[in-house]
Amino acid sequence: MVLLEPDPFLSELHKMYERNKERTVWVTMKRTNMKPRKARKPDPKRPYVCLIRANDGKRHISTTVTPTNYAKFSQSMLVIMKGAMADTLKKKEKPKTGK
Amino acid sequence: MYVEDFEAFYEQAVELYKARPIETRYTIKFRHKEGKVVLKVTDDRTCLKYKTDQQVDLRKIERITSIFFPLMACGDLPPEGAEAGQAGQQQAAAPARGAAQAPGSAKKPRRRG
């Protein structure tokens, strides 16, 4: 698991979607105050953040967003996800015989 | 458990999260080959899923994702003024209408006069 800063995470996420046109990508979000592995000291005062993970079955990436920076991040992430999904999802079927 | 109706899924998902904010996770699974998206919200007791392959449902995905961001980052919906949370807040207040709204069209009504 690689914990990235929000911006590199977004570009990695984009690459992950690009790479996996034959496969599946999972993006998971949860609320947590867990410390990253590097800092193992327990810290109950550590604020809660939103952890976002992405996984394609081979590689995991993750990032955290705080109450101050989630707004921009969520917009960028949605743009990336929509970009990846828009082409493959079915378009709404229009009635064949127009009046 | 798959929920067919998005509005029901949306409401149940938010309820589930509010009941156990720390244990609940939200997953967006995208299978490119089949062009299929599965949204899953679970607290390891209850599992709610919503499946779609329709492009129009991207709006729904966007809507539920943009409510989970403020929920999970702040613990609750942020006070008014945060832009991304704003759309979610309004949509939460009017879920039926929110589904038809395009992203960004859910702007705060401006004061007039």
Side-chain angles (χ1 to χ4, degrees):
Chain A
M1 183 74 87
V2 191
L3 189 66
L4 300 166
E5 290 295 312
D7 286 343
F9 175 86
L10 288 170
S11 63
E12 284 295 317
L13 179 68
H14 179 64
K15 282 185 211 159
M16 197 177 258
Y17 275 125
E18 287 294 307
R19 256 199 325 260
N20 289 286
K21 300 228 161 169
E22 297 292 309
R23 296 164 56 85
T24 310
V25 175
W26 290 264
V27 176
T28 304
M29 292 163 53
K30 77 174 305 221
R31 182 162 168 80
T32 178
N33 72 343
M34 279 196 293
K35 299 211 84 175
R37 276 187 196 176
K38 283 177 187 170
R40 281 176 181 274
K41 282 181 193 169
D43 184 3
K45 284 181 191 166
R46 192 178 166 81
Y48 280 93
V49 293
C50 179
L51 174 70
I52 298 119
R53 291 178 287 215
N55 173 10
D56 63 356
K58 289 179 180 170
R59 199 159 170 253
H60 299 249
I61 51 171
S62 61
T63 190
T64 54
V65 292
T66 60
T68 49
N69 69 1
Y70 79 87
K72 193 174 149 232
F73 180 87
S74 68
Q75 282 177 352
S76 314
M77 196 178 106
L78 281 165
V79 167
I80 290 172
M81 284 179 36
K82 282 194 293 183
M85 292 171 181
D87 299 340
T88 34
L89 297 185
K90 285 179 194 162
K91 284 184 183 151
K92 194 175 181 180
E93 286 181 14
K94 288 176 187 166
K96 284 177 186 171
T97 49
K99 278 179 190 175
Chain B
M1 184 183 89
Y2 278 106
V3 181
E4 296 291 325
D5 177 43
F6 180 79
E7 294 304 327
F9 173 75
Y10 181 94
E11 282 170 25
Q12 289 178 44
V14 173
E15 285 305 309
L16 191 72
Y17 172 79
K18 285 185 175 166
R20 297 180 202 278
I22 305 304
E23 293 164 64
T24 305
R25 62 186 181 273
Y26 164 54
T27 303
I28 307 151
K29 174 177 155 187
F30 176 50
R31 190 151 169 81
H32 200 292
K33 205 173 176 181
E34 294 172 24
K36 207 163 77 176
V37 180
V38 179
L39 305 178
K40 175 165 114 172
V41 180
T42 180
D43 64 352
D44 291 332
R45 295 166 183 83
T46 311
C47 179
L48 300 168
K49 283 176 159 186
Y50 179 80
K51 184 168 63 175
T52 183
D53 59 1
Q54 297 295 317
Q55 207 178 66
V56 284
D57 285 348
L58 274 177
R59 280 181 195 167
K60 297 178 183 169
I61 296 169
E62 186 172 9
R63 192 175 134 220
I64 193 163
T65 309
S66 54
I67 192 136
F68 267 111
F69 261 108
L71 280 174
M72 289 184 165
C74 310
D76 206 345
L77 292 172
E80 237 174 276
E83 216 167 87
Q86 210 172 40
Q89 245 176 354
Q90 275 206 344
Q91 285 167 356
R97 200 189 52 190
Q101 281 178 342
S105 73
K107 278 179 189 164
K108 190 166 120 188
R110 282 184 192 156
R111 280 185 200 162
R112 283 174 199 163

